[in-house]
């Protein structure tokens, strides 16, 4: 079943005058133009923390050194209400009749500009996984639990699509959703897997990574045959050197409302770069094209395929397992470690304010 969700005119909206929207327009520009403007500026020298990486001395202004210089900016941004759409498809499970459980998979469909990586590399993976599940269904094979495929709209505008869908269906989702599996983009580099998630899902991430073959022939030649092997090689866990690092899940993509509003266990995965760049330089630019993906970053779609296989394997595991593969031991160990950090960092302050943490030992 495919469901097209339109953001209805009946949805509650606060008046724009009551919204905490910035009043100052912001227009990104290239660093070459920014450098010229910085050279022209006058005023006090900016504090050290405000000094950037370009050559000119950063100043606070206002105005330019030459009073005759002016900057004219034409902004074509419009402010208007428009429709956006979620596309939601459900493959119903074969068991648990009357008390069905959902494994929800999601990727946003909108992009700032061309979006070949963010989000279209993830969109392609979601569509292929849906096609594979549909092929099994045509052969009479269904998972135990239902799998829900979600293509979100308006993620780049503040996670609007997924947030309003979760808010609308919160009652059902909070009772029936097993996990939410998110891929914002399949890759932003081609060195190793990067995973974020809640501790309950660590073991399922490790298990899926061990089952997926390494997409990089050079890594295989080094003896690292699976995604897990390369992941462990580049990112060892802070707590256990025999396991790869899983980072905490924050609020940067469509998992936010699932995990922080409803408390649904969630993960986000992608292939990434083992570098200090902090992402690919063409992120959210006009140069994020199909050629960037197929010609420079992922010839043959090997890394996209590995991410899709990881994603599909986790969905299959959670949808088919008789007992849900959620490990409470990892959750307990995580809470204990975080408690010790709080105790070490703030224990003295708690004592000064007569707060006793002993009951949690």
């Amino acid at each position: 079943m495919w469901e097209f969700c339109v953001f209805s005119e009946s949805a509650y909206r606060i008046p724009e005058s009551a919204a905490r929207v910035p009043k100052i327009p912001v227009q990104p520009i290239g660093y070459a133009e920014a450098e010229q403007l910085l050279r022209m500026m006058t005023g006090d020298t900016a504090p050290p923390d405000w000094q950037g990486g370009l050559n000119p001395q950063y100043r606070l202004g206002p105005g330019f050194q030459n009073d005759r210089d002016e900057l004219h900016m034409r902004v074509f941004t419009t402010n208007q209400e428009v429709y956006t759409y979620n596309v939601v498809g459900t493959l119903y499970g074969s068991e648990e009749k009357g008390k069905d459980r959902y494994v929800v998979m999601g990727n946003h469909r909108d992009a700032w500009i061309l979006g070949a990586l963010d989000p279209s590399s993830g969109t392609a993976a979601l569509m292929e996984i849906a096609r594979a599940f549909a092929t099994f269904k045509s052969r009479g094979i269904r998972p135990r639990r239902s799998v829900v495929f979600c293509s979100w709209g308006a993620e780049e505008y503040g996670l609007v699509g997924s947030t309003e869908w979760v808010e609308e269906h919160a009652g059902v989702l909070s009772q029936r959703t097993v996990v939410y599996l998110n891929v914002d983009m399949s890759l932003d580099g081609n060195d190793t897997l990067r995973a974020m998630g809640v501790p309950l899902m660590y073991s399922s991430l490790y298990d899926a990574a061990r089952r997926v073959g390494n997409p990089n022939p050079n890594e295989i030649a080094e003896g690292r045959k699976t995604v897990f092997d390369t992941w462990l090689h580049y990112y060892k866990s802070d707590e256990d050197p025999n396991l790869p690092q899983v980072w905490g899940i924050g609020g940067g993509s469509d998992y936010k409302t699932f995990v922080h509003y409803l408390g649904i266990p969630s993960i986000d995965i992608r292939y990434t770069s083992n570098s200090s760049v902090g992402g690919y330089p063409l992120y959210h630019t006009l140069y994020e094209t199909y050629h960037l993906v197929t010609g420079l970053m992922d010839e043959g779609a090997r890394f996209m395929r590995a991410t899709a296989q990881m994603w599909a394997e986790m969905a299959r595991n959670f949808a088919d397992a008789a007992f849900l593969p959620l490990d409470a031991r990892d959750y307990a160990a995580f809470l204990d470690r975080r408690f010790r950090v709080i105790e070490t960092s703030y224990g003295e302050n708690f004592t000064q304010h007569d707060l006793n943490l002993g009951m949690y030992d």
Side-chain angles (χ1 to χ4, degrees):
M1 181 193 73
W2 292 96
E3 170 191 357
F4 292 85
C5 301
V6 182
F7 293 169
S8 169
E9 294 179 358
S10 65
Y12 176 75
R13 298 283 188 275
I14 63 173
E16 184 177 341
S17 58
R20 300 178 62 183
V21 179
K23 305 299 183 184
I24 303 174
V26 176
Q27 176 61 47
I29 61 176
Y31 70 85
E33 291 80 9
E35 183 173 7
Q36 297 303 315
L37 294 174
L38 288 169
R39 290 186 185 280
M40 298 165 61
M41 283 184 64
T42 186
D44 296 335
T45 301
D49 290 348
W50 288 25
Q51 296 294 329
L54 299 178
N55 290 326
Q57 182 76 263
Y58 284 59
R59 297 185 179 278
L60 298 177
F64 296 124
Q65 297 176 23
N66 188 333
D67 293 338
R68 293 175 295 178
D69 290 333
E70 294 181 344
L71 173 64
H72 294 269
M73 178 181 294
R74 299 178 65 191
V75 179
F76 297 95
T77 303
T78 60
N79 185 21
Q80 56 183 314
E81 290 187 8
V82 298
Y83 283 107
T84 184
Y85 300 87
N86 295 325
V87 181
V88 181
T90 303
L91 173 61
Y92 291 110
S94 61
E95 300 186 29
E96 302 188 10
K97 299 296 184 182
K99 51 180 180 180
D100 196 18
R101 300 293 185 266
Y102 309 143
V103 174
V104 183
M105 309 177 69
N107 159 266
H108 73 91
R109 191 178 61 260
D110 63 309
W112 270 123
I113 312 220
L114 298 179
L117 283 170
D118 179 14
S120 295
S121 64
T123 304
L126 182 67
M127 294 177 69
E128 281 298 295
I129 294 170
R131 184 182 63 83
F133 273 92
T135 300
F136 281 109
K137 174 182 175 294
S138 69
R139 299 172 183 172
I141 303 173
R142 289 178 180 267
R144 173 187 295 266
R145 302 176 184 89
S146 297
V147 181
V148 183
F149 304 90
C150 301
S151 177
W152 306 118
E155 188 266 2
E156 299 290 6
Y157 289 88
L159 312 179
V160 174
S162 57
T163 296
E164 295 204 355
W165 189 79
V166 168
E167 290 175 345
E168 181 179 356
H169 302 288
V172 173
L173 293 173
S174 62
Q175 296 297 315
R176 297 189 176 186
T177 305
V178 173
V179 290
Y180 175 65
L181 309 175
N182 192 73
V183 169
D184 193 291
M185 61 187 90
S186 290
L187 75 157
D188 62 11
N190 49 28
D191 288 326
T192 182
L193 184 74
R194 186 221 69 177
M196 301 188 303
V198 300
L200 283 172
M201 301 181 71
Y202 287 177
S203 60
S204 57
L205 278 164
Y206 300 147
D207 182 65
R210 289 187 178 101
R211 292 173 179 268
V212 177
N214 202 317
N216 189 338
N218 297 327
E219 289 290 307
I220 296 175
E222 294 292 331
R224 296 186 280 274
K225 297 181 179 181
T226 68
V227 168
F228 180 91
D229 296 331
T230 296
W231 184 16
L232 177 62
H233 174 73
Y234 281 111
Y235 296 122
K236 294 186 184 298
S237 169
D238 296 334
E239 285 76 35
D240 186 343
N242 296 313
L243 294 173
Q245 180 70 40
V246 180
W247 279 271
I249 196 163
S253 190
D254 293 297
Y255 48 75
K256 178 182 178 180
T257 317
F258 285 91
V259 67
H260 295 305
Y261 182 45
L262 297 185
I264 294 170
S266 303
I267 60 99
D268 180 89
I269 60 172
R270 72 180 61 160
Y271 245 77
T272 193
S273 173
N274 179 44
S275 70
S276 59
V277 173
Y280 56 102
L282 303 182
Y283 177 65
H284 283 180
T285 71
L286 188 63
Y287 305 101
E288 196 179 317
T289 63
Y290 181 74
H291 172 70
L292 170 66
V293 181
T294 60
L296 297 176
M297 295 185 67
D298 193 11
E299 186 176 357
R302 292 177 289 130
F303 301 100
M304 288 176 60
R305 182 174 62 232
T307 300
Q309 289 172 327
M310 273 279 301
W311 201 8
E313 174 57 25
M314 292 197 71
R316 183 211 59 79
N317 193 15
F318 278 104
D320 273 343
F323 296 95
L324 291 173
L326 298 170
D327 197 327
R329 294 171 298 180
D330 289 332
Y331 189 29
F334 174 86
L335 290 176
D336 182 68
R337 290 193 300 269
R338 292 302 180 265
F339 171 76
R340 301 304 169 191
V341 170
I342 293 173
E343 188 177 44
T344 300
S345 302
Y346 303 105
E348 185 175 341
N349 290 342
F350 289 154
T351 301
Q352 291 174 356
H353 291 83
D354 198 26
L355 298 173
N356 182 13
L357 301 182
M359 68 182 72
Y360 300 107
D361 286 337

